[in-house]
Amino acid sequence: MNRHVSENLLGVKDIEQQPKGRGTRFTLNGALWSLQVLFGFFFAGSGFGKVLLYDGALYAAAPRAVAWYAAVPQPLIVFIGVCEVLGGVGLILPSMTGVKPKLTPLAAVGLTLTMILAAGFHITRSEYELVPANLLLGGVAAFIAVGRWKLRPIVPAIITTSRALKSFAVLGALALLVFAPTWYTMTNVQF
């Protein structure tokens, strides 16, 4: 609350209470939520593209678009993709529903580890131009992990209808905005 003090002619002070403006404030919780949603969608989409490589024809064509796919066995790429999809969803849904919110920092730790391993892989292949992206993604995932584990943890809650509907809306948004375009691009565009 903002406090304004004014004196009248008799020298008596009046203290007025005015409600704080509803301007935007930068908060750690808001930053964490923004990063969770943004990176959750990113990792889910990136992982889904890798999951689609279970198809032999897509896997055979993929190295023309992404060179390192040729150096990794198909089952490993699909496994990495499943981990990224689950990690991306894990950044958002447990915190949003309040059901097992400790899964969010665990998902972030898993994504951090994935990015550290990816950076090491690219260094061994002398693909140094890919390492900064891995370090950035891993660093943000680590920030989310620390933020949701220690700094601004989410309190466990009972699932409610509104929370369940929000979760279904997020899954629907993932399907429409991330999974469907990725599937369409990978199945209909020639590499």
Side-chain angles (χ1 to χ4, degrees):
M1 298 291 238
N2 292 333
R3 294 170 52 128
H4 296 283
V5 179
S6 61
E7 287 190 39
N8 61 18
L9 296 175
L10 298 173
V12 179
K13 293 182 181 179
D14 286 339
I15 298 177
E16 287 181 33
Q17 296 282 344
Q18 291 183 344
K20 228 181 209 182
R22 285 248 177 215
T24 27
R25 288 184 325 154
F26 179 78
T27 64
L28 180 59
N29 191 46
L32 285 169
W33 270 114
S34 298
L35 291 173
Q36 283 175 245
V37 171
L38 181 66
F39 282 79
F41 272 62
F42 173 80
F43 278 112
S46 173
F48 187 69
K50 292 175 184 83
V51 170
L52 290 177
L53 295 179
Y54 74 90
D55 181 272
L58 287 176
Y59 176 71
R64 284 183 253 148
V66 180
W68 66 265
Y69 284 171
V72 179
Q74 182 181 14
L76 181 57
I77 291 176
V78 173
F79 175 73
I80 292 167
V82 168
C83 291
E84 287 182 357
V85 168
L86 293 175
V89 171
L91 288 179
I92 303 170
L93 288 186
S95 291
M96 180 180 283
T97 61
V99 176
K100 303 288 185 193
K102 290 290 184 193
L103 291 176
T104 294
L106 292 177
V109 167
L111 291 170
T112 301
L113 180 60
T114 301
M115 291 299 105
I116 291 169
L117 293 172
F121 171 77
H122 292 305
I123 288 170
T124 61
R125 290 181 38 91
S126 299
E127 297 171 332
Y128 301 111
E129 66 279 1
L130 299 175
V131 174
N134 295 135
L135 295 178
L136 174 71
L137 293 168
V140 171
F143 176 72
I144 292 170
V146 170
R148 286 299 178 208
W149 195 268
K150 293 280 184 189
L151 303 175
R152 299 293 280 158
I154 302 290
V155 178
I158 297 172
I159 187 117
T160 62
T161 303
S162 81
R163 288 183 179 168
L165 290 175
K166 285 179 191 175
S167 298
F168 287 127
V170 168
L171 291 174
L174 275 170
L176 291 174
L177 300 173
V178 177
F179 298 154
T182 302
W183 171 81
Y184 180 80
T185 302
M186 290 189 67
T187 56
N188 293 308
V189 175
Q190 297 297 320
F191 292 110

